[in-house]
Amino acid sequence: MAAAERSLPAAQIRAAHDGMLVPVGNFLERGRSEGVFRTDLPTSWLAAVLHSVVHCAATEVDAGRLDPGDAASYITKTVLASFAPS
């Protein structure tokens, strides 16, 4: 991600992210309707949180502070705890 941010125009990066937000939003909406994800916060906020956590993990891996093999588990645990119904 850091390499992409250094070499691609911001509009191109945003377009790539926008393309991913639709399926993520659909996934979150389905989870909310099934009682798996919280409903007290907007889906757009939950999608933004997921996006931020993924970027944070990538930054930490890039900086050598997170083992790449642990990243998926950390993301999953963080997001599931944050999205659990209250």
Side-chain angles (χ1 to χ4, degrees), residues 53-54 56-58 60-61 66-78:
V53 171
V54 170
C56 181
E60 293 299 294
V61 167
L66 176 59
D67 184 283
D70 291 333
S73 173
Y74 284 24
I75 292 167
T76 301
K77 290 175 183 178
T78 301

Side-chain angles (χ1 to χ4, degrees), residues 22-63:
V22 171
V24 167
N26 292 339
F27 169 74
L28 292 170
E29 283 296 326
R30 189 176 79 234
R32 288 162 61 111
S33 70
E34 294 174 1
V36 177
F37 298 137
R38 64 191 308 154
T39 59
D40 61 329
L41 297 171
T43 300
S44 60
W45 175 253
L46 298 179
V49 169
L50 174 59
H51 185 249
S52 296
V53 171
V54 170
H55 275 279
C56 181
T59 299
E60 293 299 294
V61 167
D62 189 50

